[in-house]
Amino acid sequence: ILQALLETLEEAGLAREQILILVATGLHRPNEGDELVELVGQEIADQYRIENHHGQVLAEHTFLGDSPRGVPIWIDSRYVEADLKITTGLIEPHLMAGFSGGRKLVCPGIAALETIKVWHGPQFLEDPRADCGILEGNPVHEENTWIARHTGCDFIVNVVIDSQRRPLAFVAGDMEQAFLEGVDFCRDVVTDTVEEPVDIVVTSCAGYPLDTTFYQAVKGLTGALPVVKEG
């Protein structure tokens, strides 16, 4: 995605020094060194300005008011002040927001702790619609969609991948419409049913890189909840 985007931007007349690759870390630690090279490739790591978002450094964010449900909107100032805002991402089921990708690159991707701690709070997460594969009526999805639209996003490029991390589909364009197109494709690929809850489920958190931390490993558990018997 990144190579194609960067070539397109430069062919359109943007100078390389005008381009910033901002890593949307949310509240996670920065991506640096070999990890950053793995993320973007050696050539891009060597030739482009790449910076991490620091969610716990409020001074690096701009306040954009409160959302309809009272979330204070603090977004990375480098993104807010950019003339052209393009986000890239992965669309897959998400345990709270329904699906990842699209609006999630803005919130929580480049939002401050002050924003995320409210958006990740019980007001949102305890809602029964804040669950995997659900968008309609999901307050987590509705709220960060509003926040991302309010902040601004000119263009997205999102991908759906298979279990070997190979791309199955790309969607690009409007932040909401392209995202929903990707969700429709993803839903057809990943959704399945069982006739009734089962006694035992053997699960995982989908392999590398999601198996590198216990934080991510919880996704293997939540994904199995709907099909396993209570107890």
Side-chain angles (χ1 to χ4, degrees):
I1 292 176
L2 211 47
Q3 189 70 48
L5 267 179
L6 294 170
E7 289 175 1
T8 301
L9 291 172
E10 290 185 32
E11 288 171 2
L14 271 179
R16 187 165 294 183
E17 56 268 21
Q18 292 178 286
I19 298 172
L20 168 65
I21 299 169
L22 182 61
V23 185
T25 57
L27 290 180
H28 299 286
R29 58 170 175 74
N31 291 187
E32 296 171 337
D34 292 341
E35 192 174 64
L36 188 61
V37 173
E38 182 184 357
L39 186 67
V40 303
Q42 188 68 60
E43 183 179 344
I44 292 174
D46 290 340
Q47 297 183 16
Y48 288 85
R49 183 161 59 105
I50 305 173
E51 298 176 5
N52 282 278
H53 163 74
H54 305 112
Q56 299 191 46
V57 183
L58 187 60
E60 295 183 2
H61 299 75
T62 298
F63 181 60
L64 299 175
D66 292 337
S67 72
R69 291 180 170 95
V71 179
I73 306 170
W74 290 89
I75 303 295
D76 196 301
S77 298
R78 291 165 289 187
Y79 180 85
V80 172
E81 295 166 5
D83 296 313
L84 179 62
K85 301 173 173 66
I86 300 174
T87 65
T88 65
L90 168 70
I91 297 177
E92 63 181 3
H94 187 273
L95 72 167
M96 299 174 294
F99 288 87
S100 63
R103 70 283 186 246
K104 272 190 97 255
L105 277 294
V106 177
C107 177
I110 50 175
L113 170 63
E114 283 71 14
T115 298
I116 298 173
K117 68 183 180 182
V118 180
W119 178 71
H120 266 187
Q123 172 190 354
F124 295 94
L125 300 192
E126 290 182 356
D127 190 293
R129 303 291 294 174
D131 205 349
C132 195
I134 298 174
L135 293 182
E136 187 175 351
N138 183 339
V140 175
H141 161 67
E142 292 175 350
E143 197 70 358
N144 72 340
T145 299
W146 194 95
I147 290 171
R149 191 189 307 124
H150 181 70
T151 302
C153 179
D154 296 302
F155 197 83
I156 73 167
V157 184
N158 279 192
V159 63
V160 179
I161 60 175
D162 68 10
S163 60
Q164 305 300 311
R165 301 175 70 192
R166 297 170 300 195
L168 292 175
F170 294 96
V171 291
D174 178 75
M175 183 192 74
E176 294 181 66
Q177 295 308 312
F179 166 70
L180 292 175
E181 182 180 326
V183 165
D184 286 343
F185 176 88
C186 184
R187 200 189 299 273
D188 286 343
V189 173
V190 304
T191 303
D192 206 346
T193 58
V194 294
E195 292 183 3
E196 59 185 18
V198 297
D199 295 313
I200 297 172
V201 174
V202 179
T203 182
S204 82
C205 52
Y208 183 80
L210 297 179
D211 57 5
T212 56
T213 68
F214 283 119
Y215 178 89
Q216 297 291 347
V218 70
K219 295 178 179 178
L221 303 177
T222 58
L225 283 175
V227 298
V228 68
K229 291 178 183 175
E230 281 199 38

